Amino acid sequence: MAGLIFSFQPGASPLHRLDVRVKLAALLAVSLTSLQLGHAALALALSALLLLLARAGWPPLSTLVALRWYLLLLAIVVCSQALTTAGEPLLPISWLPASRQGLEVGLLSAGRLLLVALAGLLLTVTSRPAALRAAVEWLLRPIPLVPHRQAATMVGLLVRFIPVILSQAAELKEALRARAIEESRRPLRRLTALGLPLLRRTFLTADRLTAAMEARCYGAELQRDWPSLGTRDWAALALVGCCCLALLLLSLW
Amino acid sequence: MNQQPDLRNLVLASLMAALIAVGGYLVVPIGPVPIVLQNLFVLVAALLLGSRWASAAVAVYLLAGACGLPVFAGGGGGLGHLFGPRGGYLFGFLAAAWLTGLIAERAGRRPWLEVVAMVAGSLLIYALGVPWLQWMLGLDFGKAMAVGMLPFLPGDALKIVAALLIVRSVRPLLRPATAPSQPPRRSAG
Amino acid sequence: MGEDIITISGLSHRYPDGRQSLSQIDLRIPAGAFVLLAGANGAGKSTLLKHLNGLLTPTSGEVRLAGRPVGEDLRRARQLVGMVFQDADSQIVGETVYDDVAFGPENLNWPAVKVEANVTRALELVGLIGMAERSPHLLSGGEKRRLAIAGVLAMEPAVIVLDEPFANLDYAGVRDILSHIVALHAGGSTIVVSVHDIEKVLAHATRLVLMAGGRVVADGPPAVVAGEVEAHGVRLPTAIRLGLEVASWLA
């Protein structure tokens, strides 16, 4: 997972150079479009995204490996749809009531979910976390009552501390194994033995982090200037729009 | 400390959010259904931070996932996950943090009320998660319960007791913002 | 040596729970000094350091920076006194090395051009410029410490305070950090380093301040004060015990 968290691949592809706000808008457009896509359009969109990911430095195979648990979930979606939808039997086995219609419906919904997942991955791979965080801040700005500066700081800290906590957890698990936690028959003890030290550490870290952030003048109002979108950004936005439209037309037709 | 009183809460909530994200990957193999620590940390956050900051922690976790940072268990991340089959549970965490925190704030640290708060929160997670799962996967209600709730209940009961123990032990570290950030005797590493 | 940059007069501090942590501290640190603050764990070193940039407020007494009280303008104090904390991991805020160094300058609302110039210069100074896009989590212990130093340097401090900078570092790491501290001192910065073991830095310090039980118990040239450390819970370097001079760890 630590590898996934840092799936941002520094690079200079056209996608890397796009404004993050454009990429977020594109992600939203793709997510909404995916709900209406038919089989052909979906297959087209999926291949396009896999190609873009390859262009950004993630070959299709490693993409699928990274998403393996998600793929497993999608397989469950397909199976459950196939098994529960009434229709023309798929297999000549009476106790396995899989229908052809069910399989189609299942593949369709799994494909849609996969499309959105791939689009999200593409965004992560081509955008610096800090840029993403800043874009979130920008997006939250017009929403009242949401302290956008604080939200952006919190997202930044979250991203910063996930790998720290993960390695603490791994260290802790080893220490517990060295002291034969696996032999313990009391399940409660196994839960607290892992949870408690993790939480204690988190609290200590919070104390120190607060002091360190204060020492570096956190808290003053921060002004961030946003450059306006360039020609390239608008062109990309238009392109994504056209693609979505074309896919929709293809599905309807 | 001369700090803005909220900074420490902000830092704590961010770290709890990170802990919740990591919790999705921490599995304790007990019995037939492995126990994931994620909702344990949601409950602990609610008890320790209260309604407002605990929901902030979960909201930040969801926000990070929504904009494509891969924080959700199983990788991927992004809106697809948030609105995928397990999305209901994720939104359930938000509601649970809020509700459990709200009741816990009024519990005055009475253990039985804190247990009530956590039970209410845990049920709320399923109240959102199971119908969502049912709708997304096209299951009937009984099947959705069998897949999305019943197997996890014994683990949840265990987690509530564990959360109670953990909160008891960690609470002394939650000093008010006026206290020193480090006791002076702890100084060298 | 220039004018006094730090003036501490009659400083006492008591924690809200009643523990007395500092009593009656008077200390003047001239600009350009390299002060070694030594003492056993619990002597009050960290607490004293946290008064220099207003993280803690004196119960009585006063700390002045270049003539003005710390409490008068906390932001100025924190910009003037750059503080590197002991635990490297929990003071790194950014998701990447670059972002972390930019954190302070951005909080000061400096223009983007200046932020970028300062970050680049600070990363060059500590030799991390090639790792700007890395995740801080993937750095070694010594690199993390260097990153913490860079984060402070980018804020253009006059004084650099380092609390136990050698904790948890191996020999190569200690030499690495030490050489950076010495270079910063040579570049004109005032340096305050707190340690519980003086041997690693003694050869480079211009002054040794010894603390015990929340008080300053000795203060003077390292060669003079070093003889007293053992009485206050700090290990006497073996070289001095043998009647030799403590050699630089960089030699």
Side-chain angles (χ1 to χ4, degrees), chain A residues 6 128-130 133 149 156-157 159-160 163-164 167 205 208-209 211-218 220-223, chain C residues 53 55 75 78 85 87 89-95 98-101 103-104 106-109 133 135 137 151 155:
Chain A
F6 288 99
R128 286 177 51 185
R133 176 168 47 87
R149 161 96 159 111
L157 288 179
V159 173
R160 159 76 185 104
V164 175
S167 63
T205 309
R208 294 178 197 164
L209 191 59
M213 286 172 73
E214 289 231 291
R216 284 161 78 188
C217 294
Y218 180 81
E221 264 309 305
L222 182 69
Q223 293 128 26
Chain C
N53 65 352
L55 285 178
R75 188 186 313 190
R78 286 163 191 178
F85 292 83
D87 181 21
D89 234 323
S90 50
Q91 64 185 298
I92 298 171
V93 183
E95 300 108 289
Y98 184 96
D99 294 331
D100 186 67
V101 179
F103 181 78
E106 278 181 357
N107 287 335
L108 291 169
N109 279 322
E133 291 295 336
S135 157
H137 184 64
M155 296 170 74

Side-chain angles (χ1 to χ4, degrees), chain A residues 32-55:
Chain A
L32 289 176
T33 310
S34 74
L35 297 175
Q36 297 298 326
L37 293 187
H39 284 104
L42 204 54
L44 213 61
L46 281 173
S47 341
L49 275 183
L50 280 175
L51 276 177
L52 282 174
L53 272 165
R55 178 79 179 77

Side-chain angles (χ1 to χ4, degrees), chain B residues 104-159:
Chain B
E105 278 165 17
R106 284 153 180 72
R109 303 194 175 177
R110 273 166 293 183
W112 68 272
L113 264 175
E114 291 187 332
V115 169
V116 168
M118 288 190 282
V119 169
S122 302
L123 289 178
L124 194 55
I125 296 176
Y126 292 111
L128 285 166
V130 172
W132 185 303
L133 186 77
Q134 180 192 355
W135 179 69
M136 275 292 213
L137 301 187
L139 304 169
D140 61 64
F141 184 68
K143 244 185 218 160
M145 291 282 280
V147 179
M149 176 166 175
L150 298 179
F152 306 111
L153 288 183
D156 282 348
L158 211 55
K159 278 185 240 185

